[in-house]
Amino acid sequence: MILSVTGLNLFYGDAQALDEVSLEVAAGDIVAVVGSNGAGKSSLIRTIAGIEKPRSGQVVYKGVDIAGWPSHRICNLGIGQVAEGRQIFAGLTVHENLEVGAYLQRGRHKRAETMERVFEMFPILRKRADQLAGTLSGGEQQMLAISRCLLGQPELIMFDEPSLGLAPTIVQEVFGIIKHLNEDGMPIILVEQNVAISLRMANRAYVLENGRIVLTGSGDDLLRDDRVREAYLGL
């Protein structure tokens, strides 16, 4: 396993956000984490990324327990994150945002090569390179957020609600990019409001409710599960 989370507990004051959460990500996997708003999905991503510090539990990445490590150390290990809401630097140009992504020590030595790669993936970003990021469309900002993550040379990427606020045609393009990255060998953790699409893409999936994992299985298995179909697919 490239990543193994075991017995993770997270509190915000007295409120428990994650309750004994465990999951695994194998090399080459797309792992979907689905659930309703407030279920703890983003808290899980933020805890793995080092933004939140768990009260207890393990986050083992390539054999090393990184639970509670600061986020910059976790990024430098190779765990990348495309955050909910994109979180681009609106007052910087597209090129400057990408340069920020390459600031990580692990990303510097391949900066020029990776910059060219993301411009080939997203030609519109090459055209917009000198444009302020805040003036981009929502879809272009998501492309920029993905590209900035790639500049850090991640070996696992966590996507937090990548389709949020995007037009349907752009949503399909973004999911196509995620699938392409995975086919190139990138393990993915996908937290996504569109349960049907994420489960179809996933090798393995987890259902999170009130901070606890209540169901797990292959994406196809959960798509056929009556509880999932009724609660999240309206079937």
Side-chain angles (χ1 to χ4, degrees):
M1 291 295 165
I2 189 171
L3 180 74
S4 180
V5 175
T6 307
L8 205 60
N9 291 285
L10 174 70
F11 287 78
Y12 298 118
D14 293 330
Q16 188 165 11
L18 298 175
D19 185 358
E20 294 292 321
V21 169
S22 299
L23 63 78
E24 293 181 333
V25 182
D29 271 356
I30 295 180
V31 172
V33 181
V34 302
S36 58
N37 289 338
K41 304 185 302 296
S42 291
S43 292
L44 174 60
I45 293 290
R46 289 169 62 85
T47 305
I48 294 171
I51 299 168
E52 306 292 350
K53 187 172 182 177
R55 182 172 295 183
S56 60
Q58 292 185 316
V59 179
V60 177
Y61 177 68
K62 293 186 173 180
V64 178
D65 186 1
I66 61 172
W69 284 25
S71 57
H72 69 274
R73 289 187 65 193
I74 291 175
C75 285
N76 255 326
L77 280 181
I79 298 180
Q81 180 186 9
V82 180
E84 180 180 355
R86 299 176 276 280
Q87 303 295 317
I88 50 104
F89 297 103
L92 300 181
T93 67
V94 166
H95 192 270
E96 287 168 340
N97 268 271
L98 295 175
E99 291 281 2
V100 169
Y103 186 75
L104 285 173
Q105 183 177 355
R106 65 179 292 116
R108 293 174 193 168
H109 67 294
K110 289 189 175 181
R111 183 183 63 83
E113 177 185 333
T114 311
M115 190 81 73
E116 184 59 30
R117 178 190 173 200
V118 300
F119 282 150
E120 289 175 359
M121 289 176 63
F122 306 111
I124 191 65
L125 295 184
R126 191 192 300 272
K127 295 179 181 178
R128 303 273 197 265
D130 296 324
Q131 186 172 322
L132 289 179
T135 65
L136 300 178
S137 70
E140 291 166 350
Q141 289 185 13
Q142 188 62 279
M143 294 174 193
L144 177 57
I146 294 170
S147 298
R148 184 181 60 188
C149 178
L150 291 173
L151 261 294
Q153 296 295 319
E155 297 178 13
L156 179 152
I157 299 179
M158 302 186 292
F159 287 88
D160 193 357
E161 302 288 4
S163 76
L164 190 64
L166 301 183
T169 54
I170 303 300
V171 169
Q172 293 300 321
E173 184 174 355
V174 168
F175 280 120
I177 292 160
I178 293 171
K179 188 69 174 175
H180 173 72
L181 290 171
N182 179 251
E183 288 171 348
D184 279 351
M186 182 72 70
I188 302 287
I189 297 177
L190 177 60
V191 167
E192 171 53 43
Q193 60 181 344
N194 192 320
V195 173
I197 291 178
S198 58
L199 291 181
R200 288 190 191 103
M201 291 176 63
N203 307 98
R204 188 159 187 80
Y206 297 83
V207 178
L208 195 60
E209 290 183 1
N210 299 317
R212 293 184 63 89
I213 300 292
V214 295
L215 285 173
T216 185
S218 71
D220 287 341
D221 286 344
L222 293 191
L223 270 174
R224 293 191 294 265
D225 189 285
D226 288 340
R227 291 164 292 180
V228 173
R229 291 166 63 82
E230 181 178 353
Y232 303 107
L233 303 178
L235 299 174

